[in-house]
Amino acid sequence: MDTLISSVKIAINPQLYLKDPESSELGINIVHNGIDLIKEIGFEEFTFRKLGLQIHSPEASIYRYFESKHKFLLYLNAWYWGWMEYQLLLAISNVSSADKRLEKSVFLMTEGVQNDPNFQGIDIVKMQEIVVAEASKSFLNKQVDQANQDGAYLSYKQFVAKVANIIKEINPQYKYPIMLVTTVIEGAHQQRFFAEHLPRLTNKQNKPHYLSKFYMDLVFKTIKPV
Amino acid sequence: MDTLISSVKIAINPQLYLKDPESSELGINIVHNGIDLIKEIGFEEFTFRKLGLQIHSPEASIYRYFESKHKFLLYLNAWYWGWMEYQLLLAISNVSSADKRLEKSVFLMTEGVQNDPNFQGIDIVKMQEIVVAEASKSFLNKQVDQANQDGAYLSYKQFVAKVANIIKEINPQYKYPIMLVTTVIEGAHQQRFFAEHLPRLTNKQNKPHYLSKFYMDLVFKTIKPV
DNA sequence: GCAAATTTAATAGTATTACTATCAACTTTG
DNA sequence: CAAAGTTGATAGTAATACTATTAAATTTGC
């Protein structure tokens, strides 16, 4: 039975799962409720046993889809960045001005997302909150090199490369386009987290879009040739 | 017996330990070898049992100094930022030009440190590598609010505030000095990590100080009034 | 429409982790 | 030199991150 609502599907590197979770009811349930549970209790407290209890399936069943909870996090990350790449394509297609394209990219990287009806079921808002709070754990560990070889970060790298290319279009002389992009992405995540938990480490403002304004200003000033 | 070599001591919030590790041979051993072991196997693999084996002391003895391995990481972080604040004071004292002071601050935030003979025994190079790789784990979790109340991040906040004040001195109109500082600090950490493990997420260059050059350029362009 | 293959549920088991508890031996200090 | 404090040695516990096994349910291919 076909459960797809739209014809768009985020392609995920099969090395990140044992059995495609989109191929069965249980798999979809695992991803769904997994997102909810990680959001609720945090990744360190999250276990497949707890997730099993929530979906009334034994722990062992979940292990048939994902090798470990770490790989599950990598899967969610890859999904998120796949989706972000798709959003980027939508946002910049048919926009001829490179400046405008970069503007839209920075906005996408720094603002909170909105739920997308094309991927009903996956709560993208929650997913982004997870990525903001937990993503760095997906690479800041000793298995990073193995995960990297497994292609865990491909979609992230692709996204970054696309935006970096726009920067190069605007200023081919600028030497650090990739660094600038990852600085913005990871920075925006941190600031978002700080605003909620460690306000003295940020400049939270009530103005809408203050975060994207800060980074927009930073990016355009930085790449401007002297 | 007095084991201090210099009269300078980094003050750490006592809430981060049960018994001051600088007050005994064993305590000093724990911190020393703890740094080595975390550096070697990473924070997730690190356990007090393994550390106990390394220093030939029972696990339970270590628990008399630190409540948990999480608090141990918070302690190391606090120590690092206390030391960084001290380095900052040394670097900017007697420098009257605010621009020059900011330049020195950015350099300190983005370059690798060198071992400091005033704190013999503590390997600051290794400590920085730990902070770069593991620090975000010290706040990216559900206990962050508790840890924050315990004053775990005070020395970090103080450091950030000091640099932000220099920015305000240069451009009182600039609205996001703190955000800019934390973006630089956390960004530099990430880039350093990426350069080693995920090179496609950065623009590694062979030039010395390319990292500080990138951030120096970014900071000064960003705060320049339009 | 039914046998074969696949998927899931249910249960049990293992090594390790992150601690806590207890008590004797040793050291320091007043 | 006694009392107080520190360390060592050992043991124990609940939970985690898995693996293994087998039976029941479901899907599929002809």
Side-chain angles (χ1 to χ4, degrees), chain A residues 40-218:
Chain A
E40 196 187 326
I41 63 179
F43 185 65
E44 1 279 330
E45 288 299 305
F46 170 81
T47 71
F48 281 174
R49 214 178 95 78
K50 288 176 188 167
L51 176 55
L53 287 172
Q54 188 149 314
I55 63 176
H56 307 292
S57 280
E59 195 185 3
S61 297
I62 302 168
Y63 275 102
R64 248 175 265 113
Y65 285 83
F66 295 100
E67 211 176 301
S68 65
K69 74 170 189 168
H70 190 83
K71 284 244 168 145
F72 183 59
L73 184 58
L74 291 176
Y75 175 90
L76 294 183
N77 247 298
W79 200 99
Y80 175 76
W81 286 106
W83 182 82
M84 282 289 275
E85 196 186 337
Y86 166 71
Q87 290 305 110
L88 183 67
L89 288 176
L90 288 183
I92 67 177
S93 71
N94 302 316
V95 179
S96 54
S97 148
D99 270 56
K100 264 258 167 298
R101 267 180 287 137
L102 181 57
E103 201 180 291
K104 279 167 184 276
S105 307
V106 173
F107 192 83
L108 182 62
M109 294 188 289
T110 55
E111 283 298 312
V113 300
Q114 277 175 295
N115 263 324
D116 184 338
N118 286 321
F119 300 92
Q120 233 179 32
I122 297 260
D123 187 331
I124 291 157
V125 173
K126 262 185 200 154
M127 191 165 225
Q128 191 186 42
E129 287 165 343
I130 291 174
V131 171
V132 166
E134 323 280 359
S136 66
K137 290 167 201 165
S138 81
F139 43 76
L140 291 175
N141 59 58
K142 293 277 163 178
Q143 301 109 56
V144 64
D145 302 310
Q146 183 57 53
N148 190 29
Q149 271 195 301
D150 291 350
Y153 312 109
L154 277 176
S155 48
Y156 184 42
K157 289 176 188 170
Q158 270 169 37
F159 182 95
V160 169
K162 287 222 161 80
V163 181
N165 280 334
I166 303 175
I167 294 176
K168 275 190 243 168
E169 226 181 291
I170 296 175
N171 179 0
Q173 253 62 62
Y174 187 65
K175 277 184 294 217
Y176 314 102
I178 299 173
M179 269 166 86
L180 185 58
V181 172
T182 51
T183 294
V184 169
I185 292 172
E186 304 290 335
H189 286 181
Q190 293 262 18
Q191 301 303 325
R192 201 174 273 281
F193 186 87
F194 288 161
E196 202 179 333
H197 297 284
L198 302 162
R200 280 176 57 197
L201 291 176
T202 190
N203 297 99
K204 192 182 164 129
Q205 319 215 334
N206 287 323
K207 285 191 302 199
H209 311 314
Y210 76 95
L211 243 192
S212 58
K213 275 186 185 124
F214 165 74
Y215 282 109
M216 204 73 82
D217 173 66
L218 181 151

Side-chain angles (χ1 to χ4, degrees), chain B residues 34-69:
Chain B
I35 292 170
D36 287 358
L37 193 54
I38 292 177
K39 173 70 186 97
E40 194 186 330
I41 64 179
F43 186 66
E44 2 280 330
E45 287 300 306
F46 170 81
T47 70
F48 281 174
R49 215 177 96 75
K50 288 176 189 167
L51 177 54
L53 287 172
Q54 188 150 316
I55 62 175
H56 307 294
S57 280
E59 196 185 2
S61 297
I62 302 168
Y63 276 102
R64 253 177 254 118
Y65 285 82
F66 294 101
E67 212 175 300
S68 66
K69 73 169 190 169

Side-chain angles (χ1 to χ4, degrees), chain A residues 137 140 179 182 191 203, chain B residues 137 140 145 179 182 191 203:
Chain A
K137 290 167 201 165
L140 291 175
M179 269 166 86
T182 51
Q191 301 303 325
N203 297 99
Chain B
K137 291 167 200 163
L140 293 174
D145 301 311
M179 269 165 84
T182 52
Q191 300 303 325
N203 297 101

